Amino acid sequence: MSWTVALPEVVLAVGVMAMLMLGVFRGNGATGLVAVLSSVLLLVVLGLSTMGENGIAFGGLFVENSFTGFVKVLILVASAVAIIMAMDFFRREGLERFEYPVLMLTATLGMLLMVSANDFIALYMGIELQSLSLYVLAAFRRDSLRSTEVGLKYFVLGALSSGMLLYGCSLIYGFSAHTGFEAVAEVLTGGETVPLGVAAGIVFVIAGLAFKVSAVPFHMWTPDVYEGAPTPITAFFAVAPKIAAMALFVRVLFGPFGHMVDVWQQVIVFISLASMIIGAFAAVAQTNIKRLMAYSSIGHIGYALVGLAAGTQAGVSGVLIYFAIYLFMNVGTFACILSMRRSGRMVEGIADLAGLSRSHPMMAAAMAAFMFSMAGVPPLAGFWGKLYVFQAAVGAQLYVLAVVGVLTSVVSCFYYIRIVKLMYFDDAAEALDRNIGSEMKAVLAVCSIVILLFILVPGPIAQPATAAAAALFGG
């Protein structure tokens, strides 16, 4: 197959080098230009991804199909919006450095390679390209003790997860003598029973990937990194890397281990239950909105894993729809958090949202829509995302998983709706700044429209997601 299958990744890689050279030769004064060009580059790559050809390239290491195409669109949209939302923040905070958009591009390139990886070695290279960029981004405020601390913590725990992933890959290679997904599947399908070493390898691979999506019990880094990293970077962490890692989760489990659902299903069921329960109850006590969003993301990963645990095409379709909706809910919420300023300084306390409906009625309405949607209140988009994955679980007779999902959704209503109560019924000691920036208004408007109108026009998300899931199952 032709290398043109990977044309979007090739263009992005060349663009990264060009942005790096531009930044190096023109210095931090070119940060705005590099950011604008980086956003344009991501949109160009997005266009190439939607128009590109499907197939396999580089000797079977790289694959492109409807599934990878759908996920890449979500990743590229999230990355472009994260760069746009960050520029005003970094200008205000005196953190304008050209490395930020360049690192975002390298992380995005790593994610695209992860999604299209068709071999365990290619998988690992994509993960490390993404992870190394994210470690630096977490410590981007290098003169802040808190930021450097969380960057180091993220790096150490990330190295541990990479070790577990590599150990799992080596076990699988040891028993199959192959690293390619199709070759491993072909070798392992022949046996009547699954060798114990292969089962152990699958568990280690799942553990490594669970860290990347911050699923319990590998979630310990999430609240600290969310709180310590600059807020636009937290917004990026909350969306794009999770979508990429979950897509890789799906491709690995339904690729080389697609015929071993009984082996990995019980592990996925456990981490899904644990993530939903820990995410729901640990968020109740939070007073910092970024830490609350961290536990919220852990809970949402648990819901998405419900669809994965089902082990069916309907479950994968539900996971893709869930993450498409999750993207808009999270980007919109972080646009509100980035707009929380008092006398020009960022505030992050949940109590700081008190009385927001009187000083910023439109922003409060948008935030209320995002909170109700995350809680799963119908008819907002978040309700339908949960419904799809719970229906897949019921179809696979995973009734306990569906029931726990509904109950933890009820628990999560407490802290989501508490924010709405603060905004509409409590008085603020001092109102937030009124100027929230035109780019934030645009992001809030788009995200609100998607969340509110999904019930009326689900086709643009649901139909491509269904086609993407069908491609994974050979449909």
Side-chain angles (χ1 to χ4, degrees), residues 194-423:
V194 179
L196 182 60
V198 173
I202 294 173
V203 172
F204 275 105
V205 169
I206 290 175
L209 293 176
F211 177 91
K212 303 300 179 188
V213 296
S214 62
V216 177
F218 306 101
H219 65 291
M220 65 293 288
W221 60 274
T222 314
D224 291 340
V225 172
Y226 271 47
E227 185 183 9
T231 305
I233 294 172
T234 305
F236 180 63
F237 282 177
V239 184
K242 290 187 187 299
I243 294 174
M246 184 57 79
L248 187 58
F249 230 137
V250 172
R251 288 212 54 238
V252 169
L253 294 185
F254 288 96
F257 312 124
H259 62 290
M260 299 180 185
V261 175
D262 292 340
V263 175
W264 54 258
Q265 188 180 53
Q266 51 195 323
V267 182
I268 300 298
V269 167
F270 168 75
I271 61 177
S272 174
L273 286 171
S275 298
M276 288 190 290
I277 293 170
I278 296 293
F281 285 96
V284 171
Q286 302 305 316
T287 56
N288 182 292
I289 194 162
K290 287 167 69 178
R291 290 188 72 86
L292 183 142
M293 290 303 294
Y295 284 107
S296 167
S297 76
I298 293 168
H300 282 290
I301 287 297
Y303 299 128
L305 287 170
V306 171
L308 182 60
T312 61
Q313 183 174 324
V316 174
S317 176
V319 172
L320 294 177
I321 295 172
Y322 195 93
F323 268 101
I325 294 169
Y326 176 80
L327 185 158
F328 290 101
M329 291 191 300
N330 262 270
V331 167
T333 303
F334 274 98
C336 292
I337 295 173
L338 278 165
S339 303
M340 290 171 59
R341 288 185 172 274
R342 187 168 287 146
S343 302
R345 300 186 59 187
M346 284 287 302
V347 289
E348 298 176 354
I350 294 173
D352 293 315
L353 287 165
L356 188 71
S357 63
R358 289 179 280 283
S359 59
H360 298 76
M362 297 305 294
M363 180 175 153
M367 186 69 165
F370 300 138
M371 292 298 104
F372 280 125
S373 182
M374 285 194 180
V377 175
L380 298 174
F383 166 76
W384 298 101
K386 290 182 180 179
L387 183 65
Y388 282 117
V389 293
F390 292 161
Q391 280 182 332
V394 171
Q397 299 184 331
L398 299 174
Y399 303 115
V400 173
L401 208 52
V403 170
V404 172
V406 172
L407 293 177
T408 52
S409 292
V410 173
V411 173
S412 70
C413 285
F414 170 78
Y415 53 83
Y416 289 131
I417 296 177
R418 182 179 56 157
I419 292 176
V420 179
K421 175 252 181 190
L422 276 169
M423 293 190 298

Side-chain angles (χ1 to χ4, degrees), residues 15-172:
V16 170
M17 297 305 295
M19 294 302 115
L20 181 61
M21 291 297 105
L22 179 62
V24 168
F25 285 109
R26 297 193 57 179
N28 288 330
T31 302
L33 177 62
V34 174
V36 171
L37 292 177
S38 298
S39 301
V40 173
L41 175 62
L42 289 173
L43 293 178
V44 170
V45 175
L46 175 61
L48 292 173
S49 294
T50 54
M51 296 183 295
E53 56 183 307
N54 294 336
I56 297 176
F58 306 120
L61 296 175
F62 185 95
V63 65
E64 183 70 26
N65 53 35
S66 298
F67 178 84
T68 60
F70 180 84
V71 176
K72 286 178 183 179
V73 168
L74 298 183
I75 292 170
L76 290 165
V77 169
S79 301
V81 173
I83 291 177
I84 293 169
M85 289 200 308
M87 296 322 299
D88 181 60
F89 174 88
F90 285 123
R91 194 162 44 244
R92 288 170 182 258
E93 301 290 325
L95 288 171
E96 279 192 292
R97 298 190 195 117
F98 74 88
E99 292 91 341
Y100 171 72
V102 174
L103 286 166
M104 293 283 282
L105 292 180
T106 54
T108 305
L109 177 60
M111 292 175 213
L112 300 190
L113 295 176
M114 284 166 60
V115 173
S116 281
N118 199 38
D119 182 284
F120 282 105
I121 295 175
L123 173 155
Y124 184 71
M125 290 183 66
I127 284 180
E128 286 307 295
L129 180 58
Q130 175 215 237
S131 299
L132 290 172
S133 304
L134 296 184
Y135 301 148
V136 180
L137 282 171
F140 195 74
R141 199 194 290 267
R142 60 192 179 208
D143 55 350
S144 163
L145 180 62
R146 181 65 176 153
S147 184
T148 51
E149 178 188 342
V150 298
L152 182 61
K153 183 175 185 179
Y154 191 24
F155 171 71
V156 172
L157 293 175
L160 177 65
S161 75
S162 293
M164 289 191 290
L165 180 67
L166 274 180
Y167 185 60
C169 294
S170 65
L171 282 174
I172 292 163

Side-chain angles (χ1 to χ4, degrees), residues 160-192:
L160 177 65
S161 75
S162 293
M164 289 191 290
L165 180 67
L166 274 180
Y167 185 60
C169 294
S170 65
L171 282 174
I172 292 163
Y173 173 73
F175 279 86
S176 68
H178 293 283
T179 56
F181 288 178
E182 284 88 359
V184 171
E186 188 176 343
V187 170
L188 297 181
T189 304
E192 294 183 358

